[in-house]
Amino acid sequence: MFLDYAVIMSGGMGTRFWPRSRNSMPKQFLRTVGEKTMIQGTVDRISKCINHENICIVTNRNYIKTITKQLPGIKNENIFIEPYNRETATCIGLAAIKLLSRDPDALMIVLPSDHVIQNTREFRKAIEAAIKIARRDDVLVTFGVVPTRPETAYGYIETGGLIEVNNTIPAYKVKRFTEKPNKTVAQMFLDKGTFLWNSGMFVWKAQTLLDEMEKYLPDLYLSLMTMKESIGKPNEEKIIENEYKKVDGISIDFGVMEKSLKITVLKTNMDWDDIGNWNALEKYYLKDDDNNIVNALCSSIDTKNCIIFGNERLIATIGVNNLLVVDAGDTVLICDRERDQDIKEMVKQLQMMRGFDKFI
């Protein structure tokens, strides 16, 4: 009998949400939409689907204190520590070997920690359908979301032939994965009707995932097997650190999902958002008469289509349009809203500048 485990990835910084999201307090630990932090919302959702004792968090050592404070119900042994950030394939692989060391039949529900999903009933239906398929078949199940707009901040999955329908959730073969498109291509995807947003959520048997990693990421697989041999031994932490140093980080999408022949995608109607940038907050905040979102002490004249976030200081704007303004206390970001995807590049630039560590 398979046991179901949730694996919540929570080691990233969320650079496109800078300057509110920092190394010391990344966006998954912020109250961005609603009264709870993003990671608290993620745990609440999956707690409706599986036993709370089987919820695991993959993170780095810097965030342990924050996680234990925000999620006091998570057991210490269910917090898996990465010594370095090596992208999602390594993160998920580490969780897989940890779970297999406990349970050779472990089934993993892999979730990012920074998503917002409003209709939790649809989420639960999709999780149940995915578990049923993953238990029965040696496949990697991913979740696609029916797009509601020509979004350029998300990757897409094109569906192939219909496999089956479980509890009104159809499952398809995958024709192809695509990267984030431009506006024209995104509209074409929307019009065609066979493309889904790539949610970055997965369900699979831990062993099935590792078998696919052995095929497509053999070097990472060998490192994971070395780590697996050390689990529970006095040198476990040192071995994992040494193997992480060898690993070339790669995302699970690039490393496995885009290559594997064992992919099934569920077509869901979840009210889902990957709050990956400031513009993604638009649907969750009220706008004023000039189409501005203002969450700050602010005085404006002739200001339109702006997003303005601040703390205690007054933000005053005159004659501006389509700007993102974020006052984070020690840092102020002023950005064309059409360029919010470039915030990540700004953070990279600051990382290379001596003496600017305190701002990231």
Side-chain angles (χ1 to χ4, degrees), residues 13 18-19 21-24 330-332 346-360:
M13 176 189 159
W18 182 85
S21 183
R22 303 290 186 97
N23 279 326
S24 59
D330 61 348
T331 309
V332 178
M346 173 61 70
V347 174
K348 288 182 181 179
Q349 179 176 307
L350 291 171
Q351 288 171 334
M352 297 173 64
M353 297 170 65
R354 182 175 297 178
F356 282 73
D357 291 353
K358 64 181 180 180
F359 298 113
I360 54 178

Side-chain angles (χ1 to χ4, degrees), residues 83 130 292 342:
N292 300 304
D342 292 334

Side-chain angles (χ1 to χ4, degrees), residues 65 99 129 137 144 216 218 227 252 292:
K65 186 175 180 179
L99 293 178
D137 304 325
Y216 303 111
M227 295 183 221
I252 195 69
N292 300 304

Side-chain angles (χ1 to χ4, degrees), residues 6-20:
V7 173
I8 299 174
M9 300 179 288
S10 187
M13 176 189 159
T15 52
R16 282 185 288 267
F17 223 73
W18 182 85
R20 281 284 180 87

Side-chain angles (χ1 to χ4, degrees), residues 85-87 90 219-220 223-224 227 242-250:
N85 187 337
R86 291 294 186 267
E87 297 290 347
T90 316
D219 291 341
L220 174 57
S223 285
L224 289 170
M227 295 183 221
N242 288 341
E243 292 302 319
Y244 258 72
K245 289 178 181 177
K246 302 176 185 177
V247 169
D248 292 325
I250 190 170

Side-chain angles (χ1 to χ4, degrees), residues 104-221:
D105 295 322
L107 184 141
M108 302 169 62
I109 303 163
V110 181
L111 306 170
S113 57
D114 55 359
H115 290 179
V116 172
I117 299 174
Q118 302 285 70
N119 52 345
T120 54
R121 184 173 178 271
E122 185 73 10
F123 172 79
R124 184 169 183 172
K125 281 170 54 181
I127 292 291
E128 290 172 352
I131 289 173
K132 180 179 179 180
I133 294 170
R135 277 178 174 163
R136 185 191 65 207
D137 304 325
D138 288 328
V139 295
L140 309 179
V141 183
T142 187
F143 298 84
V145 179
V146 176
T148 57
R149 59 185 183 273
E151 180 59 63
T152 60
Y154 302 156
Y156 287 72
I157 302 170
E158 185 174 13
T159 57
L162 178 67
I163 300 171
E164 63 185 34
V165 178
N166 278 297
N167 197 17
T168 74
I169 306 287
Y172 292 87
K173 295 179 180 178
V174 171
K175 191 171 184 180
R176 61 170 167 146
F177 289 81
T178 72
E179 291 305 298
K180 299 171 183 177
N182 60 35
K183 199 77 170 180
T184 301
V185 174
Q187 185 63 56
M188 182 181 70
F189 288 171
L190 191 66
D191 294 341
K192 191 171 182 182
T194 58
F195 285 84
L196 306 171
W197 286 335
N198 184 356
S199 73
M201 300 186 292
F202 314 100
V203 175
W204 46 53
K205 298 171 193 167
Q207 189 59 57
T208 300
L209 171 68
L210 290 173
D211 290 344
E212 293 301 277
M213 283 187 166
E214 185 177 14
K215 293 178 190 175
Y216 303 111
L217 295 173
D219 291 341
L220 174 57
Y221 175 81

